[in-house]
Amino acid sequence: MSNIIDRRKNTKGKSTNNRQKFLKRVEDQIKEAIPDIISQESIKDSSGGGKVKVPIKGISEPNFRHDPRSGKKHYIRPGNDKFSEGDQIPKPEGEGKGSGKGKGSNSPEVTQDDFVVILSREEFLKYFFEDLELPNMVKKYMESTTTFKNHRAGYTKNSVPSRLNVKTSYQQSLARQISIGGVYAQKIKKLQEQLAHEKDEQVRLDLETEIKRLVKLKDTIPFFEDVDLRYNNFERVPQPATSAVMFCIMDVSASMGYHEKDIAKRFFTLLYIFLTKQYTNVDIVYIRHHTESKEVDEEEFFNSRESGGTVVAPSLKLMHKIMKERYDPQVWNVYCCQASDGDVWSNGDAVECSQILKNDVLTEIQYMAYIEIKNRGLEGYLWHAYKKLRKVENFSMKNINDVSQIWPVFKALFKKKSLVNDDN
Amino acid sequence: MMDKEKFKEMFSSPNWDFETIKAADELTSWVGKEYFKLDTYINQIEIVTSEQMLDAYSLIGLPTSYPHWKFGKDFVINQSSYKKGQMGLSYEMVINSDPCISYNMENNSTCMMLLVIAHACQGHNAFFKNNYMFKDWTSADSILDYMVFARDYIMMCEEEYGDEEVEKVLDACHSLMDHGVDKYKKPPKLSAEKERERLKRLTKAKKENYNELLRTLPTEDALLKQEKYRKQKKYPLEPEENLLYFIEKNAPTLPIWKREIIRIVRKVAQYYYPQTMTKVMNEGFATFMHYHIINKLFDLGYLGDGFMLEFLKSHSGVIFQPDYNSKFFSGLNPYTLGFNIFMDIKRICQDPTEEDKAWFPDLIGKDWLDEVHYAMENFRDDSFIAQYLSPKVIRDMKLFGIFDDEDNEYYEIKAIHNERGYRKIREMLSNQYDRSNRVPDIQVDQVDLHKTSKLTLIHNIHDEKLLDEDEADSTVRHVRHLWEFPVELHSRNKAGIDEDFYEC
């Protein structure tokens, strides 16, 4: 009779392998698409796994087929509501030239201009950060603090007794007992049937001994054999260092327009994604400043319209203060990203900023990036003051003036520095 | 039989359990056999999740297949349109194998479960077992084994020659799948065991004859053969339409493993050939059967009214045919067309009109079930329609025929559902399901055995239909990859003049 099988418990992901093969094939297109995502979509969403639009180019499967525009074709349609034999219906404008498939094509395929590949968070980050690396110094620090955690990973046949999994072993043993027992039972049954019909005394005797032997064997199937034993298997999985804090300092003075803030926002979010890959726990401190500096929440940081003149140094002081109070650099990996159009109230302010960074901040934190959102050529006070810090290993500064530059600049800031001189 | 009331109650609960599935299977099998003379393979009913159904989709229904990115792509496409709600998954999927495997979605309601079990495990199953195309062209008992063999073989190749090399060969083979079918010779039955033995013999022979110095020299046998063809001036003597077969057997320098991969893809193409040729009949028959089986069960008192209401709703969904001007229109629904024709055969046998007597004299007064079985067993879509599409069905579906000539500025209505149009429509629709309308006629013309080993293909133009140029360009490249020597493709019209020319 029919077999009814519940497949649902079986491992899913039968297509995983083929899916990987496919992703590998469109890898280049995905990589190309990633900067687009960063400049077009809300990046915060991307941190949960991006949707990547991959154009169908390069993954089509060509074959010999008719050009749907050519030739004499007949087709049958259902639901005639108004036509009579001999009617002539003008072809729609553009039909027959470049309209591609559709009408007149019998092929079952639907043409698709592009479709969306949904990447898992892991996959997305893999492509996202493939060419990036934390700055060298930070990496060393992280390597030394990487911890491992044991994760269960199925069963294994060889291990230490303390890891014996009794239930699974017992199931294995039962299966073995049942199958071996069944074989004996069958043999015994067969021999007994033979015995019932057998007349010859000697043969009967032989049969009986054999049956006895088999019964004994059947009754003495060992309860546990080595082959039954299953041990819990564990894998050592590296754990990312636990915590990091990111200070986002944004200039919201009157000179920062929507465009500038947009770029800053995208940059911060990118940094956020970057950090969440490295750390299980990432805090963000938002600081906005015009004449005053204050710590705000995300909503206010990105959306508040409050504005005013520009004094920068207090924001760095504020950051330093918060760091001292809540984020001890001994425990936290501290990052800072400052975005500004580079205009400051006075040169003194800029010099003060540079001093604070040099003396108080950079010595304590992992890395700081300064992005100046401004057309090159007009060097701001801040840029000028920060220039002297360029040699400091954990400080970088870049100029951005267009959304499309965010990704290249981000890459440049965080590029693999293995080629750069390595003192240690 | 169990207490009917108990069944009624069981099937009226929307939530099924395995007892329900078992009962559904037993009842439908019994009714199928007892009342509708269905002869089926043993069923294997598998309950799957939506993700598993997506897996099955991308492997074109097979439980296993060789690894290839194409299947991953299909999975990604299906998954994304399913998640966006653009596509519903089918409630079932069934494989032409013995035992006949069918997948049923776990989130089907009880009614849907019964419906799909009647549809797939009785209707499709009987069709696979009895339709001549399937009988002649596929071997249901060995396809699963064969696919396991194919998977192992391709994975072995990947290990030995690298993923990329294998992928290139598979890509090329897939692009020629439509031209890898033998339409006239029935293929020998598949058997994984035999394939393995054949391979073993091949490798052994290869090892014994292996000699680094003599490697490039042709064997005596091959020399004789070549001599023979040289005298005949042309090779092959007859055009060959199975491109994959020709390349597998004749590519001058192709390593054995690549020939094996070609063979595997060829076998798979061959296995699917009947499916593409009987879509209307297969779906029509399965729909016809689930409709009858469930109605019978209702008549016998196994099903309640509520069940029937849900059933009728699903059933009408299956056979819904949007009109040509509807935004849901996407061609003729094979379920509808097939179902209507089978229902009409029954009607003509039981209750013929004067018109039917003139059109189908052979059906009049016959046993309808016998006639339905006869039709199901001995036709494929084009011949089925040519034989059985009746004026009534044409009228009911309001079919009309359009003529689209690229030279004209307008479409012309060639025929409608009236006295003058019936035969024309029947002929046009039959042609529409003719394979030559879909797959261009491309044949191997000759191989230059003298110096270049160049392969010449001819595309015979029908109805002035030209090849899609970009596609043809890329496909010829694939042919060259397999053939390993220059390839030419001539698109030739009836007068023997080349209208297009491709080379690589």
Side-chain angles (χ1 to χ4, degrees):
Chain A
M1 256 337 271
S2 307
N3 308 314
I4 298 170
I5 299 171
D6 191 352
R7 275 274 169 245
R8 291 170 296 175
K9 288 167 199 139
N10 277 32
T11 44
K12 351 186 252 179
K14 200 185 216 171
S15 294
T16 311
N17 184 13
N18 288 329
R19 192 166 171 275
Q20 295 299 343
K21 274 185 191 295
F22 169 64
L23 285 184
K24 198 172 156 228
R25 203 173 163 103
V26 296
E27 203 164 55
D28 292 342
Q29 302 190 30
I30 292 179
K31 278 189 206 158
E32 269 173 41
I34 280 186
D36 277 355
I37 299 177
I38 292 163
S39 45
Q40 282 162 21
E41 288 179 31
S42 157
I43 317 166
K44 213 61 188 266
D45 299 338
S46 306
S47 67
K51 282 183 184 175
V52 182
K53 271 191 182 172
V54 180
I56 201 141
K57 201 180 101 212
I59 50 164
S60 66
E61 300 154 69
N63 58 13
F64 291 124
R65 63 177 79 141
H66 293 131
D67 180 342
R69 292 172 310 227
S70 74
K72 301 188 188 310
K73 289 153 308 217
H74 293 89
Y75 25 80
I76 298 289
R77 292 279 184 267
N80 180 17
D81 54 352
K82 59 182 176 203
F83 301 123
S84 311
E85 190 183 334
D87 281 0
Q88 295 184 345
I89 309 148
K91 290 181 183 175
E93 210 58 32
E95 180 86 3
K97 272 196 189 124
S99 71
K101 278 178 239 164
K103 269 236 166 97
S105 162
N106 278 332
S107 88
E109 298 126 320
V110 181
T111 40
Q112 280 163 309
D113 297 331
D114 56 357
F115 61 86
V116 178
V117 178
I118 301 168
L119 297 174
S120 70
R121 182 183 157 81
E122 280 307 304
E123 284 165 338
F124 178 79
L125 293 176
K126 182 182 143 253
Y127 291 116
F128 199 92
F129 291 109
E130 198 159 60
D131 306 321
L132 298 177
E133 211 172 73
L134 281 170
N136 236 0
M137 181 196 79
V138 183
K139 206 179 131 210
K140 269 179 213 146
Y141 176 77
M142 282 187 53
E143 269 169 6
S144 64
T145 57
T146 301
T147 53
F148 286 89
K149 202 177 172 186
N150 277 339
H151 269 274
R152 289 194 68 154
Y155 305 111
T156 167
K157 287 182 178 175
N158 296 303
S159 186
V160 291
S162 64
R163 288 191 177 166
L164 183 71
N165 186 308
V166 179
K167 187 180 161 201
T168 315
S169 304
Y170 180 63
Q171 281 169 341
Q172 293 289 333
S173 149
L174 257 188
R176 180 180 48 81
Q177 288 180 58
I178 290 168
S179 56
I180 295 178
V183 173
Y184 284 134
Q186 262 180 5
K187 276 188 187 164
I188 293 167
K189 199 177 156 206
K190 210 165 145 198
L191 290 175
Q192 276 169 342
E193 275 166 15
Q194 261 183 44
L195 188 64
H197 298 294
E198 191 58 57
K199 300 260 161 55
D200 187 328
E201 215 33 54
Q202 183 55 41
V203 180
R204 284 182 69 88
L205 223 62
D206 286 353
L207 279 174
E208 272 164 13
T209 352
E210 180 64 10
I211 290 173
K212 254 186 215 152
R213 190 180 72 87
L214 286 175
V215 169
K216 195 176 169 196
L217 277 176
K218 179 170 178 283
D219 291 342
T220 53
I221 297 170
F223 194 75
F224 270 123
E225 291 228 54
D226 278 350
V227 291
D228 301 328
L229 300 183
R230 293 290 181 278
Y231 301 89
N232 293 330
N233 191 25
F234 293 94
E235 257 174 11
R236 262 160 64 89
V237 181
Q239 286 295 105
T242 48
S243 43
V245 58
M246 179 168 86
F247 287 90
C248 300
I249 302 175
M250 181 157 66
D251 181 350
V252 288
S253 60
S255 53
M256 288 282 286
Y258 172 82
H259 173 70
E260 284 78 12
K261 283 182 196 162
D262 184 50
I263 288 175
K265 174 192 159 179
R266 290 178 192 280
F267 195 88
F268 288 133
T269 318
L270 199 52
L271 191 57
Y272 172 76
I273 299 174
F274 186 36
L275 291 175
T276 44
K277 192 188 170 174
Q278 305 295 338
Y279 302 102
T280 40
N281 177 22
V282 178
D283 273 11
I284 307 176
V285 178
Y286 298 100
I287 296 173
R288 65 203 299 281
H289 68 86
H290 38 95
T291 14
E292 292 167 37
S293 302
K294 67 173 168 184
E295 187 185 353
V296 295
D297 61 12
E298 184 182 341
E299 173 67 24
E300 196 181 343
F301 183 73
F302 288 122
N303 300 318
S304 169
R305 289 159 182 276
E306 191 187 308
S307 188
T310 319
V311 183
V312 186
S315 65
L316 294 174
K317 280 185 194 148
L318 179 63
M319 172 197 162
H320 191 236
K321 183 171 159 261
I322 295 172
M323 198 168 84
K324 284 278 174 232
E325 283 168 11
R326 287 157 33 203
Y327 299 102
D328 178 2
Q330 296 298 317
V331 183
W332 291 81
N333 297 284
V334 183
Y335 293 84
C336 175
C337 181
Q338 184 184 12
S340 164
D341 59 358
D343 284 341
V344 284
W345 185 246
S346 67
N347 192 26
D349 186 31
V351 172
E352 196 184 354
C353 286
S354 161
Q355 287 301 323
I356 298 171
L357 285 191
K358 194 176 167 192
N359 299 331
D360 300 331
V361 178
L362 291 180
T363 49
E364 304 259 21
I365 72 173
Q366 302 298 333
Y367 192 70
M368 168 155 179
Y370 169 66
I371 53 168
E372 191 160 299
I373 306 162
K374 189 177 198 175
N375 289 326
R376 208 177 273 283
L378 296 159
E379 207 170 73
Y381 282 125
L382 209 53
W383 182 273
H384 189 74
Y386 279 0
K387 256 196 194 157
K388 291 173 207 139
L389 298 170
R390 269 179 155 171
K391 286 208 182 81
V392 180
E393 209 182 9
N394 58 345
F395 178 76
S396 285
M397 50 197 278
K398 284 282 172 188
N399 179 294
I400 300 182
N401 54 41
D402 187 81
V403 172
S404 65
Q405 289 178 319
I406 293 176
W407 178 245
V409 165
F410 188 83
K411 265 168 106 158
L413 285 177
F414 292 94
K415 71 174 176 266
K416 295 188 178 175
K417 293 199 175 165
S418 36
L419 294 176
V420 181
N421 62 323
D422 188 350
D423 299 6
N424 306 5
Chain B
M1 277 289 122
M2 247 165 77
D3 185 8
K4 288 179 185 176
E5 286 307 314
K6 199 176 153 190
F7 281 115
K8 226 184 222 174
E9 201 187 310
M10 182 190 271
F11 291 125
S12 66
S13 152
N15 301 319
W16 55 268
D17 55 15
F18 279 86
E19 207 187 326
T20 321
I21 304 282
K22 198 161 165 271
D25 172 54
E26 280 174 12
L27 279 179
T28 52
S29 296
W30 165 66
V31 169
K33 204 174 196 162
E34 198 68 26
Y35 292 91
F36 303 109
K37 300 191 204 164
L38 291 183
D39 167 31
T40 57
Y41 296 122
I42 286 179
N43 278 305
Q44 179 158 319
I45 301 172
E46 309 197 352
I47 310 295
V48 298
T49 61
S50 51
E51 179 170 338
Q52 286 169 321
M53 192 58 116
L54 281 167
D55 283 338
Y57 261 55
S58 40
L59 295 183
I60 348 174
L62 287 168
T64 184
S65 187
Y66 48 83
H68 188 245
W69 66 270
K70 163 195 170 66
F71 305 127
K73 170 186 143 188
D74 292 348
F75 182 82
V76 169
I77 292 176
N78 290 335
Q79 190 186 39
S80 97
S81 50
Y82 175 61
K83 280 194 176 157
K84 275 189 280 183
Q86 287 169 348
M87 173 183 99
L89 291 178
S90 39
Y91 307 107
E92 48 81 28
M93 183 174 268
V94 52
I95 299 170
N96 165 31
S97 61
D98 179 14
C100 180
I101 300 176
S102 57
Y103 302 123
N104 295 283
M105 285 263 270
E106 61 173 344
N107 43 355
N108 288 342
S109 68
T110 306
C111 174
M112 281 315 295
M113 278 291 184
L114 190 62
L115 189 154
V116 301
I117 286 171
H119 182 92
C121 308
Q122 294 303 311
H124 283 308
N125 187 340
F127 194 86
F128 290 147
K129 192 170 176 190
N130 296 287
N131 177 269
Y132 84 101
M133 293 285 289
F134 286 89
K135 272 168 120 171
D136 289 355
W137 265 271
T138 65
S139 26
D141 56 342
S142 51
I143 182 66
L144 299 185
D145 267 0
Y146 186 77
M147 287 319 292
V148 172
F149 158 80
R151 185 195 62 198
D152 292 350
Y153 190 83
I154 298 238
M155 280 162 72
M156 187 200 83
C157 288
E158 283 184 340
E159 218 153 87
E160 196 145 328
Y161 309 101
D163 291 15
E164 276 178 35
E165 279 303 302
V166 175
E167 187 170 292
K168 275 184 207 154
V169 180
L170 278 174
D171 283 355
C173 290
H174 284 164
S175 77
L176 294 175
M177 247 178 137
D178 279 338
H179 304 273
V181 176
D182 241 317
K183 286 181 291 193
Y184 308 109
K185 271 183 292 182
K186 290 172 199 169
K189 295 279 175 191
L190 281 179
S191 154
E193 197 46 50
K194 271 190 206 147
E195 288 291 309
R196 256 177 233 123
E197 267 171 32
R198 198 179 53 78
L199 265 183
K200 241 186 244 162
R201 275 205 312 278
L202 255 177
T203 4
K204 209 174 136 211
K206 195 179 139 202
K207 266 184 196 151
E208 278 169 3
N209 297 327
Y210 190 72
N211 180 324
E212 193 60 39
L213 285 173
L214 295 175
R215 201 159 59 104
T216 50
L217 292 183
T219 59
E220 215 167 289
D221 235 20
L223 277 174
L224 278 175
K225 240 186 187 171
Q226 266 191 14
E227 197 50 43
K228 200 174 126 208
Y229 293 131
R230 216 160 261 160
K231 276 181 196 148
Q232 286 164 343
K233 284 185 188 146
K234 186 169 180 263
Y235 180 75
L237 274 183
E238 300 284 330
E240 168 67 58
E241 65 164 0
N242 190 336
L243 304 188
L244 283 179
Y245 179 83
F246 188 85
I247 294 171
E248 178 197 331
K249 299 298 178 198
N250 296 288
T253 53
L254 208 58
I256 287 181
W257 68 271
K258 289 192 185 175
R259 290 183 206 267
E260 282 307 315
I261 292 182
I262 298 178
R263 189 183 167 84
I264 285 170
V265 176
R266 206 158 61 72
K267 297 284 174 196
V268 173
Q270 198 82 12
Y271 170 77
Y272 283 117
Y273 172 59
Q275 316 238 12
T276 59
M277 300 298 293
T278 55
K279 184 101 177 117
V280 171
M281 288 184 74
N282 200 348
E283 294 303 355
F285 184 74
T287 308
F288 180 81
M289 271 349 290
H290 81 228
Y291 180 75
H292 278 81
I293 289 174
I294 290 194
N295 273 299
K296 192 77 199 172
L297 282 170
F298 177 71
D299 292 345
L300 293 169
Y302 288 94
L303 303 170
D305 294 343
F307 180 96
M308 285 311 276
L309 279 176
E310 190 188 338
F311 164 71
L312 286 172
K313 185 166 177 291
S314 309
H315 174 73
S316 15
V318 169
I319 58 166
F320 175 60
Q321 172 69 67
D323 287 343
Y324 76 98
N325 51 1
S326 151
K327 65 172 177 178
F328 300 111
F329 179 76
S330 62
L332 280 168
N333 179 348
Y335 292 80
T336 321
L337 183 60
F339 178 74
N340 288 351
I341 297 178
F342 276 114
M343 285 298 274
D344 209 49
I345 294 175
K346 181 182 173 189
R347 182 193 60 81
I348 293 169
C349 290
Q350 285 182 325
D351 187 18
T353 62
E354 286 308 311
E355 183 183 54
D356 298 324
K357 282 177 191 161
W359 277 69
F360 302 99
D362 293 346
L363 290 180
I364 309 302
K366 296 280 174 55
D367 179 88
W368 69 267
L369 189 55
D370 287 348
E371 292 306 315
V372 163
H373 272 279
Y374 180 82
M376 176 269 274
E377 284 162 18
N378 297 294
F379 294 86
R380 57 181 202 212
D381 285 348
D382 54 340
S383 56
F384 177 68
I385 288 164
Q387 181 74 20
Y388 290 108
L389 183 69
S390 70
K392 175 153 194 315
V393 171
I394 296 176
R395 278 195 302 273
D396 288 350
M397 297 182 74
K398 298 200 174 82
L399 299 180
F400 64 110
I402 305 172
F403 176 57
D404 173 7
D405 185 342
E406 63 173 325
D407 297 334
N408 291 345
E409 297 285 296
Y410 52 86
Y411 300 111
E412 189 187 340
I413 304 296
K414 270 284 174 197
I416 65 160
H417 40 98
N418 61 14
E419 204 66 43
R420 280 160 51 84
Y422 296 143
R423 283 185 200 280
K424 185 78 193 159
I425 285 180
R426 187 156 84 165
E427 187 194 329
M428 281 167 81
L429 191 57
S430 168
N431 281 335
Q432 194 163 312
Y433 288 97
D434 188 342
R435 195 166 186 269
S436 67
N437 243 316
R438 184 173 61 85
V439 183
D441 175 15
I442 292 175
Q443 316 216 350
V444 177
D445 181 51
Q446 60 173 317
V447 178
D448 175 14
L449 291 173
H450 296 275
K451 27 182 204 252
T452 58
S453 293
K454 184 170 71 192
L455 176 72
T456 309
L457 305 175
I458 304 277
H459 166 230
N460 295 306
I461 299 174
H462 289 305
D463 292 334
E464 296 168 32
K465 283 184 207 156
L466 300 175
L467 293 178
D468 182 319
E469 283 179 29
D470 291 346
E471 294 279 318
D473 234 24
S474 327
T475 313
V476 166
R477 238 168 280 218
H478 279 314
V479 180
R480 157 121 203 192
H481 183 80
L482 290 181
W483 182 251
E484 299 187 327
F485 290 94
V487 175
E488 278 182 12
L489 169 65
H490 303 260
S491 250
R492 198 162 278 176
N493 63 21
K494 271 186 201 141
I497 297 165
D498 281 3
E499 295 204 2
D500 269 324
F501 174 74
Y502 306 86
E503 67 180 330
C504 180

